[in-house]
Amino acid sequence: MIIRIMGEGQFDVADVDQALLQKYDNQVEHAVESGDTEEARTALQELHDYVVSHGKPVSDDFLGTSDVVVPFVDATLEEISELLTGEGFIPDPA
């Protein structure tokens, strides 16, 4: 799975702990649903940090699309919610 972090690039997260990745995603979704801007930004920062530190940066010449788009870490609650689906940013495992 390729995750694009707006303003930072793309990261391949196929080899990361998917349960932990989903945990961070769920925290963002919960914070947005509760309308808590501070909690949403904290959760988004944790998701961002995990993807950047554990994912593999995708080459700049990669022509494929991203599977998931995550907003920049200082996004507003509205900007975050615009990119969420019914399952957060990352689809829940089947």
Side-chain angles (χ1 to χ4, degrees):
M1 174 184 340
I2 304 292
I3 294 180
R4 173 181 297 283
I5 298 178
M6 295 173 67
E8 291 198 42
Q10 295 177 301
F11 299 85
D12 183 346
V13 294
D15 294 331
V16 305
D17 182 336
Q18 295 299 310
L20 191 53
L21 182 64
Q22 193 65 51
K23 174 189 156 213
Y24 290 126
D25 183 56
N26 290 342
Q27 289 173 339
V28 174
E29 183 179 21
H30 173 71
V32 170
E33 287 173 354
S34 68
D36 187 330
T37 301
E38 190 62 35
E39 182 182 344
R41 283 196 176 147
T42 298
L44 185 59
Q45 182 71 54
E46 290 174 354
L47 174 63
H48 168 275
D49 291 349
Y50 185 75
V51 169
V52 171
S53 65
H54 291 84
K56 295 178 189 165
V58 175
S59 172
D60 289 338
D61 62 357
F62 175 72
L63 298 176
T65 61
S66 303
D67 299 300
V68 174
V69 177
V70 174
F72 43 92
V73 294
D74 61 346
T76 66
L77 200 57
E78 182 178 317
E79 291 167 332
I80 296 169
S81 65
E82 286 176 3
L83 293 173
L84 289 173
T85 67
E87 298 179 327
F89 299 116
I90 303 163
D92 295 325

